[in-house]
């Protein structure tokens, strides 16, 4: 198991921005085929927000966040980020970082989440 820790959440007004950060216990994301950010609100299913592919090239975004959110890694591959701009109240959720191990079909490792609240 890999321990993932998210940070950067908080309270922000509509239209504001936040940058979430994810750190792995091993200190690097180099060995994972892909990483992703999910979010979940109480009583609803977990939603894939953004995905970064195996070599840092391909990306995928939920339709609801396209053009507003950006997933990335730093140059040393020590952190995975989710830059969130033009935030809406509907973005309020707990955001989770997840990784897919080599040859795995599922995102097996998850962080404990960071709360994002978009409100006036």
């Amino acid at each position: 198991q890999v321990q993932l820790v998210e940070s950067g959440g908080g309270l922000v007004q509509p239209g504001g921005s936040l940058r979430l950060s994810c750190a792995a216990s091993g200190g690097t994301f180099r060995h994972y085929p892909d990483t992703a950010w999910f979010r979940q609100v109480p009583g609803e299913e977990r939603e894939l927000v953004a995905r970064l592919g195996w070599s840092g090239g391909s990306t995928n975004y939920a339709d609801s966040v396209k053009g507003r959110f950006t997933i990335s890694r730093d140059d040393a591959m020590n952190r995975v980020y989710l830059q969130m701009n033009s935030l809406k109240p509907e973005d309020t959720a707990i955001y989770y970082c997840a990784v897919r191990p080599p040859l795995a079909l599922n995102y097996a490792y998850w962080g404990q989440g960071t709360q994002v609240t978009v409100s006036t």
Side-chain angles (χ1 to χ4, degrees):
Q1 289 286 123
V2 174
Q3 183 178 355
L4 304 175
V5 179
E6 304 93 341
S7 62
L11 175 64
V12 64
Q13 292 184 314
S17 298
L18 287 173
R19 187 178 70 171
L20 306 184
S21 178
C22 178
S25 59
T28 180
F29 290 89
R30 288 177 295 172
H31 307 296
Y32 297 105
D34 61 23
T35 60
W37 287 93
F38 292 79
R39 67 186 181 188
Q40 187 172 28
V41 300
E44 299 185 10
E45 292 188 349
R46 188 171 55 202
E47 175 190 22
L48 175 64
V49 176
R51 172 185 172 272
L52 181 62
W54 47 267
S55 192
S58 63
T59 58
N60 299 101
Y61 297 94
D63 289 341
S64 59
V65 307
K66 285 182 179 178
R68 300 189 298 120
F69 290 11
T70 303
I71 186 171
S72 64
R73 295 190 183 102
D74 62 14
D75 291 340
M77 302 189 71
N78 294 323
R79 298 286 188 276
V80 175
Y81 301 100
L82 184 67
Q83 178 67 47
M84 305 185 294
N85 299 324
S86 302
L87 283 162
K88 305 174 181 179
E90 294 76 21
D91 296 317
T92 296
I94 300 175
Y95 284 72
Y96 298 90
C97 177
V99 300
R100 182 168 65 84
L103 303 180
L105 298 178
N106 303 112
Y107 289 95
Y109 305 136
W110 298 80
Q112 293 185 323
T114 184
Q115 177 70 47
V116 172
T117 302
V118 185
S119 175
T120 58

CSV table of all heavy atoms in Angstrom, one decimal, residues 45-72:
chain,number,residue,atom,x,y,z
A,45,GLU,N,-22.2,9.4,-5.5
A,45,GLU,CA,-21.1,8.5,-5.9
A,45,GLU,C,-19.8,9.3,-6.1
A,45,GLU,O,-19.9,10.5,-6.4
A,45,GLU,CB,-21.5,7.7,-7.1
A,45,GLU,CG,-22.5,6.7,-7.0
A,45,GLU,CD,-22.7,5.8,-8.2
A,45,GLU,OE1,-22.2,6.2,-9.3
A,45,GLU,OE2,-23.4,4.8,-8.1
A,46,ARG,N,-18.7,8.7,-5.9
A,46,ARG,CA,-17.4,9.3,-6.2
A,46,ARG,C,-17.3,9.6,-7.7
A,46,ARG,O,-17.7,8.8,-8.5
A,46,ARG,CB,-16.3,8.4,-5.7
A,46,ARG,CG,-14.9,9.0,-5.8
A,46,ARG,CD,-14.0,8.0,-5.1
A,46,ARG,NE,-14.1,6.7,-5.6
A,46,ARG,CZ,-13.7,5.6,-5.0
A,46,ARG,NH1,-13.2,5.7,-3.7
A,46,ARG,NH2,-13.8,4.4,-5.5
A,47,GLU,N,-16.8,10.8,-8.1
A,47,GLU,CA,-16.7,11.2,-9.4
A,47,GLU,C,-15.3,11.4,-9.8
A,47,GLU,O,-14.5,12.0,-9.1
A,47,GLU,CB,-17.5,12.5,-9.6
A,47,GLU,CG,-17.4,13.1,-11.0
A,47,GLU,CD,-17.9,14.5,-11.1
A,47,GLU,OE1,-18.0,15.2,-10.0
A,47,GLU,OE2,-18.3,15.0,-12.2
A,48,LEU,N,-14.9,10.9,-11.0
A,48,LEU,CA,-13.6,11.2,-11.5
A,48,LEU,C,-13.5,12.6,-12.0
A,48,LEU,O,-14.3,13.0,-12.9
A,48,LEU,CB,-13.2,10.2,-12.7
A,48,LEU,CG,-11.9,10.4,-13.4
A,48,LEU,CD1,-10.7,10.3,-12.5
A,48,LEU,CD2,-11.8,9.5,-14.6
A,49,VAL,N,-12.6,13.4,-11.5
A,49,VAL,CA,-12.5,14.8,-11.9
A,49,VAL,C,-11.4,15.0,-13.0
A,49,VAL,O,-11.6,15.7,-14.0
A,49,VAL,CB,-12.1,15.6,-10.7
A,49,VAL,CG1,-11.9,17.1,-11.1
A,49,VAL,CG2,-13.2,15.5,-9.6
A,50,ALA,N,-10.2,14.4,-12.8
A,50,ALA,CA,-9.1,14.6,-13.7
A,50,ALA,C,-8.2,13.4,-13.6
A,50,ALA,O,-8.0,12.8,-12.5
A,50,ALA,CB,-8.4,15.9,-13.4
A,51,ARG,N,-7.6,13.1,-14.7
A,51,ARG,CA,-6.6,12.0,-14.8
A,51,ARG,C,-5.4,12.4,-15.6
A,51,ARG,O,-5.5,13.1,-16.6
A,51,ARG,CB,-7.3,10.7,-15.5
A,51,ARG,CG,-6.3,9.6,-15.8
A,51,ARG,CD,-7.0,8.5,-16.5
A,51,ARG,NE,-6.0,7.5,-17.0
A,51,ARG,CZ,-5.3,7.5,-18.1
A,51,ARG,NH1,-5.5,8.5,-18.9
A,51,ARG,NH2,-4.5,6.6,-18.4
A,52,LEU,N,-4.2,12.0,-15.1
A,52,LEU,CA,-2.9,12.2,-15.8
A,52,LEU,C,-2.3,10.9,-16.2
A,52,LEU,O,-2.1,10.0,-15.3
A,52,LEU,CB,-2.0,13.0,-14.9
A,52,LEU,CG,-0.6,13.4,-15.4
A,52,LEU,CD1,-0.8,14.3,-16.7
A,52,LEU,CD2,0.2,14.1,-14.4
A,53,GLY,N,-2.0,10.7,-17.5
A,53,GLY,CA,-1.6,9.4,-18.0
A,53,GLY,C,-0.2,9.0,-17.6
A,53,GLY,O,0.6,9.8,-17.0
A,54,TRP,N,0.2,7.8,-18.1
A,54,TRP,CA,1.4,7.1,-17.6
A,54,TRP,C,2.7,7.9,-17.8
A,54,TRP,O,3.6,7.7,-17.0
A,54,TRP,CB,1.5,5.8,-18.4
A,54,TRP,CG,1.2,5.9,-19.9
A,54,TRP,CD1,0.1,5.7,-20.5
A,54,TRP,CD2,2.2,6.2,-20.9
A,54,TRP,NE1,0.3,5.9,-21.9
A,54,TRP,CE2,1.6,6.2,-22.1
A,54,TRP,CE3,3.6,6.4,-20.8
A,54,TRP,CZ2,2.2,6.4,-23.3
A,54,TRP,CZ3,4.3,6.6,-22.0
A,54,TRP,CH2,3.6,6.6,-23.2
A,55,SER,N,2.8,8.6,-18.8
A,55,SER,CA,4.1,9.3,-19.1
A,55,SER,C,4.0,10.8,-18.9
A,55,SER,O,4.9,11.6,-19.4
A,55,SER,CB,4.6,9.0,-20.5
A,55,SER,OG,5.9,9.4,-20.7
A,56,GLY,N,2.9,11.3,-18.3
A,56,GLY,CA,2.8,12.7,-18.1
A,56,GLY,C,2.2,13.4,-19.3
A,56,GLY,O,2.2,14.7,-19.3
A,57,GLY,N,1.7,12.7,-20.3
A,57,GLY,CA,1.2,13.2,-21.5
A,57,GLY,C,-0.3,13.4,-21.5
A,57,GLY,O,-0.9,14.5,-21.4
A,58,SER,N,-1.0,12.3,-21.6
A,58,SER,CA,-2.5,12.3,-21.8
A,58,SER,C,-3.2,12.8,-20.5
A,58,SER,O,-2.7,12.5,-19.4
A,58,SER,CB,-3.0,10.9,-22.2
A,58,SER,OG,-2.7,10.0,-21.2
A,59,THR,N,-4.2,13.5,-20.7
A,59,THR,CA,-5.1,14.0,-19.6
A,59,THR,C,-6.5,13.7,-19.9
A,59,THR,O,-6.9,13.7,-21.1
A,59,THR,CB,-4.9,15.4,-19.2
A,59,THR,OG1,-5.1,16.2,-20.4
A,59,THR,CG2,-3.4,15.7,-18.8
A,60,ASN,N,-7.4,13.6,-18.9
A,60,ASN,CA,-8.8,13.5,-19.1
A,60,ASN,C,-9.5,14.3,-18.0
A,60,ASN,O,-9.0,14.3,-16.8
A,60,ASN,CB,-9.3,12.0,-19.0
A,60,ASN,CG,-8.7,11.1,-20.1
A,60,ASN,OD1,-7.7,10.4,-19.9
A,60,ASN,ND2,-9.3,11.3,-21.3
A,61,TYR,N,-10.6,14.9,-18.3
A,61,TYR,CA,-11.3,15.7,-17.3
A,61,TYR,C,-12.8,15.4,-17.4
A,61,TYR,O,-13.3,15.1,-18.5
A,61,TYR,CB,-11.1,17.2,-17.6
A,61,TYR,CG,-9.7,17.6,-17.5
A,61,TYR,CD1,-8.8,17.7,-18.5
A,61,TYR,CD2,-9.2,18.0,-16.2
A,61,TYR,CE1,-7.5,18.1,-18.4
A,61,TYR,CE2,-7.9,18.4,-16.1
A,61,TYR,CZ,-7.0,18.5,-17.1
A,61,TYR,OH,-5.7,18.9,-17.0
A,62,ALA,N,-13.4,15.5,-16.3
A,62,ALA,CA,-14.9,15.5,-16.3
A,62,ALA,C,-15.4,16.7,-17.1
A,62,ALA,O,-14.8,17.8,-17.0
A,62,ALA,CB,-15.4,15.5,-14.9
A,63,ASP,N,-16.5,16.5,-17.8
A,63,ASP,CA,-17.1,17.6,-18.5
A,63,ASP,C,-17.4,18.8,-17.7
A,63,ASP,O,-17.3,20.0,-18.1
A,63,ASP,CB,-18.4,17.1,-19.2
A,63,ASP,CG,-18.2,16.2,-20.3
A,63,ASP,OD1,-17.0,16.1,-20.9
A,63,ASP,OD2,-19.1,15.5,-20.7
A,64,SER,N,-17.7,18.6,-16.4
A,64,SER,CA,-18.1,19.7,-15.5
A,64,SER,C,-16.9,20.6,-15.2
A,64,SER,O,-17.2,21.7,-14.7
A,64,SER,CB,-18.8,19.2,-14.3
A,64,SER,OG,-17.9,18.3,-13.6
A,65,VAL,N,-15.7,20.1,-15.4
A,65,VAL,CA,-14.5,20.9,-14.9
A,65,VAL,C,-13.6,21.3,-16.1
A,65,VAL,O,-12.6,22.0,-15.9
A,65,VAL,CB,-13.7,20.2,-13.9
A,65,VAL,CG1,-14.6,19.8,-12.7
A,65,VAL,CG2,-13.0,18.9,-14.4
A,66,LYS,N,-13.9,20.8,-17.3
A,66,LYS,CA,-13.1,21.1,-18.5
A,66,LYS,C,-13.0,22.7,-18.6
A,66,LYS,O,-14.0,23.4,-18.6
A,66,LYS,CB,-13.7,20.5,-19.7
A,66,LYS,CG,-13.5,19.0,-19.8
A,66,LYS,CD,-14.0,18.5,-21.1
A,66,LYS,CE,-13.8,17.0,-21.3
A,66,LYS,NZ,-14.4,16.4,-22.5
A,67,GLY,N,-11.7,23.1,-18.9
A,67,GLY,CA,-11.5,24.5,-19.0
A,67,GLY,C,-11.3,25.2,-17.7
A,67,GLY,O,-10.8,26.4,-17.7
A,68,ARG,N,-11.6,24.6,-16.6
A,68,ARG,CA,-11.4,25.3,-15.3
A,68,ARG,C,-10.4,24.6,-14.4
A,68,ARG,O,-9.7,25.3,-13.7
A,68,ARG,CB,-12.7,25.3,-14.5
A,68,ARG,CG,-13.9,26.0,-15.3
A,68,ARG,CD,-15.1,26.2,-14.4
A,68,ARG,NE,-15.7,24.9,-14.0
A,68,ARG,CZ,-15.8,24.5,-12.7
A,68,ARG,NH1,-15.4,25.2,-11.7
A,68,ARG,NH2,-16.3,23.3,-12.5
A,69,PHE,N,-10.2,23.3,-14.5
A,69,PHE,CA,-9.3,22.5,-13.7
A,69,PHE,C,-8.2,22.0,-14.6
A,69,PHE,O,-8.4,21.7,-15.7
A,69,PHE,CB,-10.0,21.3,-13.1
A,69,PHE,CG,-11.0,21.6,-12.0
A,69,PHE,CD1,-11.4,22.9,-11.8
A,69,PHE,CD2,-11.5,20.6,-11.2
A,69,PHE,CE1,-12.3,23.2,-10.8
A,69,PHE,CE2,-12.4,20.9,-10.2
A,69,PHE,CZ,-12.9,22.2,-10.0
A,70,THR,N,-7.0,21.8,-14.0
A,70,THR,CA,-5.8,21.3,-14.6
A,70,THR,C,-5.1,20.4,-13.7
A,70,THR,O,-4.7,20.8,-12.6
A,70,THR,CB,-4.9,22.4,-15.1
A,70,THR,OG1,-5.6,23.3,-15.9
A,70,THR,CG2,-3.7,21.8,-15.9
A,71,ILE,N,-4.8,19.1,-14.1
A,71,ILE,CA,-4.0,18.2,-13.4
A,71,ILE,C,-2.6,18.2,-13.9
A,71,ILE,O,-2.4,18.3,-15.1
A,71,ILE,CB,-4.6,16.8,-13.4
A,71,ILE,CG1,-3.9,15.8,-12.5
A,71,ILE,CG2,-4.6,16.2,-14.9
A,71,ILE,CD1,-4.5,14.5,-12.4
A,72,SER,N,-1.6,18.1,-13.0
A,72,SER,CA,-0.2,18.2,-13.4
A,72,SER,C,0.7,17.5,-12.4
A,72,SER,O,0.2,17.3,-11.3
A,72,SER,CB,0.2,19.6,-13.7
A,72,SER,OG,0.2,20.4,-12.5
